[in-house]
Amino acid sequence: MRKSRPILWILIIAAVASAGYYGWRKFGEAGKAQSAQNSGPRVPAVPVSVATVDKTDFPVFLTGLGTVQGFNTVQVRTRVDGQIDKIAFTEGQMVKQGDLLVEIDPRPFQAALDQAKAKKAQDEANLANANLDLQRYTKLGEFATRQQTDTQRSTVAQLTAQIAADEAAIANAQTQLDYTQVKSPITGVAGLRQVDIGNIVNASTQTGIVTIAQVEPITVIFTAPEDQLPYISEGQKAGALKVLALTTDGKKTLAEGKLAVINNQVDTTSGTIRLKAVFDNKEHTLWPGQSVSTRLLVRTLKDATVVPDDAVQHSTNGLYAYTVNQDNKAEVHKIKVSYSIDGRSVVDQGLSPGQQVITGGQFKVQPGSVVSTAVASSDPGQNKVQQE
């Protein structure tokens, strides 16, 4: 009986140890399960770029295509017939009004002028003699018949009129002689020469000598949609509207000018109105015949809500944009856009100044998605991005 007690205690101790081990094991497995549950797979944040919704003045431009034209363009022709003796200009030269361009053989015209002057001298001598005869008849009184006196007065009057005709002939001959020196009628750039020394030119033909285009100032002819005509006319009442001329790709501004003329009728076939802008063109960045892109500043919207174009998304239900709230979660907003120019859009409804809009990475974003943001400049000309 005494020997069985130690065995009983051994069995009790073993049972307690087994129960403790089993409990410890179960507790460890439960802890691991809970830890595994807590550290289960997490949805990573979506990387996006964001920009701030701005409240600023927004210039409204009408874009179009235009053609540069000389402010004045003249095809210089001869006004007399003859052989070219001298060419006094260089192709591409800037010539001033009154500069000599071409000289035509003046000898036939000089001879005609000398002949007209000689004829006048002859008639003046005859008039002087007729005046002397009239004085004699007048002094004779009753010894000279009235008919003789009247006839002599008529002769004097005829010779006086003849001298007046001679003076007109001299003036015409002088004008023809002056025409042998062909001068520039305007200040501008001379084009390619169409004649050479020794060529015979004729006033009755359409062949010109050279074309001169005035480039300071210079004009651009362009078009605008007819539905914008009321805004253009309204803007003109406040002053000349600003016009920008750019390269055809729109990347470089060439000159800044003013709207000068709105055409007097709309082109019904295209639904556009022709406009003319004038540019000082001191640097000669515009050239006749050049094609340019144009931007006409119609008006400026005050305190407009502006976002980058990249923030505006399209769907079958219309336009929308994602914003990021304080919890870094994406929210979707339906928006209305009125203008989109130079990488910026005017939002009339759906967004407020100061909000953060997503401008990049939207294809991975869903409403409520957690996002990690990188701040992009709202200026489309700036490409730098700063990671938050």
Side-chain angles (χ1 to χ4, degrees), residues 56-58 300-304:
T56 183
D57 293 344
F58 187 86
T300 300
L301 302 178
K302 298 295 183 180
D303 296 329

Side-chain angles (χ1 to χ4, degrees), residues 36-244:
Q37 182 178 357
N38 293 338
S39 61
R42 297 178 59 188
V43 178
V46 180
V48 296
S49 299
V50 298
T52 303
V53 180
D54 291 331
K55 183 178 182 180
T56 183
D57 293 344
F58 187 86
V60 178
F61 287 97
L62 291 180
T63 60
L65 294 175
T67 303
V68 181
Q69 295 183 359
F71 192 82
N72 288 301
T73 301
V74 179
Q75 186 176 24
V76 180
R77 295 188 177 97
T78 179
R79 302 180 70 172
V80 293
D81 302 342
Q83 177 179 304
I84 295 179
D85 283 351
K86 179 181 179 181
I87 294 178
F89 72 95
T90 303
E91 295 171 321
Q93 174 187 348
M94 176 67 74
V95 295
K96 295 181 180 180
Q97 183 178 8
D99 284 354
L100 178 65
L101 300 176
V102 167
E103 186 174 287
I104 298 170
D105 184 5
R107 291 174 296 176
F109 304 96
Q110 182 65 57
L113 176 61
D114 294 341
Q115 184 178 6
K117 290 180 178 179
K119 180 65 167 57
K120 179 185 177 183
Q122 180 183 3
D123 291 336
E124 286 177 339
N126 291 334
L127 177 61
N129 183 60
N131 278 322
L132 291 175
D133 288 343
L134 179 59
Q135 292 176 8
R136 293 189 188 100
Y137 290 142
T138 302
K139 290 180 180 180
L140 289 175
E142 60 183 17
F143 296 101
T145 65
R146 184 173 181 179
Q147 181 181 2
Q148 288 177 320
T149 304
D150 291 342
T151 300
Q152 194 60 33
R153 284 197 180 97
S154 176
T155 301
V156 170
Q158 290 177 13
L159 290 174
T160 301
Q162 183 62 50
I163 290 175
D166 293 338
E167 290 176 347
I170 291 173
N172 180 65
Q174 182 66 59
T175 300
Q176 297 300 307
L177 178 61
D178 293 341
Y179 284 160
T180 62
Q181 291 192 333
V182 181
K183 298 180 179 180
S184 176
I186 62 173
T187 298
V189 178
L192 299 178
R193 190 176 72 238
Q194 301 174 36
V195 294
D196 297 310
I197 294 178
N199 288 160
I200 302 296
V201 291
N202 193 303
S204 62
T205 63
Q206 296 299 316
T207 302
I209 295 173
V210 67
T211 298
I212 298 176
Q214 183 178 354
V215 297
E216 295 182 27
I218 204 167
T219 63
V220 173
I221 305 297
F222 62 103
T223 58
E226 62 178 333
D227 58 357
Q228 297 296 322
L229 183 56
Y231 300 107
I232 297 173
S233 299
E234 183 179 353
Q236 279 284 82
K237 294 178 182 178
L241 298 179
K242 182 171 72 172
V243 180
L244 299 178

Side-chain angles (χ1 to χ4, degrees), residues 208-343:
I209 295 173
V210 67
T211 298
I212 298 176
Q214 183 178 354
V215 297
E216 295 182 27
I218 204 167
T219 63
V220 173
I221 305 297
F222 62 103
T223 58
E226 62 178 333
D227 58 357
Q228 297 296 322
L229 183 56
Y231 300 107
I232 297 173
S233 299
E234 183 179 353
Q236 279 284 82
K237 294 178 182 178
L241 298 179
K242 182 171 72 172
V243 180
L244 299 178
L246 305 91
T247 54
T248 52
D249 58 10
K251 294 182 178 180
K252 182 179 180 180
T253 300
L254 300 176
E256 178 179 324
K258 299 292 184 181
L259 180 64
V261 178
I262 302 174
N263 197 19
N264 59 359
Q265 61 182 358
V266 174
D267 186 345
T268 56
T269 59
S270 62
T272 58
I273 183 76
R274 284 165 59 87
L275 307 171
K276 178 190 283 188
V278 178
F279 300 81
D280 290 337
N281 201 36
K282 297 297 184 181
E283 302 298 327
H284 294 180
T285 53
L286 300 177
W287 211 246
Q290 180 182 4
S291 295
V292 295
S293 296
T294 59
R295 291 187 181 181
L296 171 63
L297 179 61
V298 178
R299 53 179 172 159
T300 300
L301 302 178
K302 298 295 183 180
D303 296 329
T305 301
V306 180
V307 298
D309 282 348
D310 292 338
V312 180
Q313 301 297 302
H314 300 259
S315 72
T316 56
N317 295 325
L319 302 179
Y320 68 96
Y322 282 112
T323 63
V324 179
N325 62 20
Q326 295 180 350
D327 298 328
N328 276 351
K329 291 184 178 181
E331 296 179 350
V332 65
H333 297 263
K334 290 185 177 180
I335 61 175
K336 291 184 179 180
V337 174
S338 57
Y339 295 99
S340 180
I341 301 171
D342 290 340

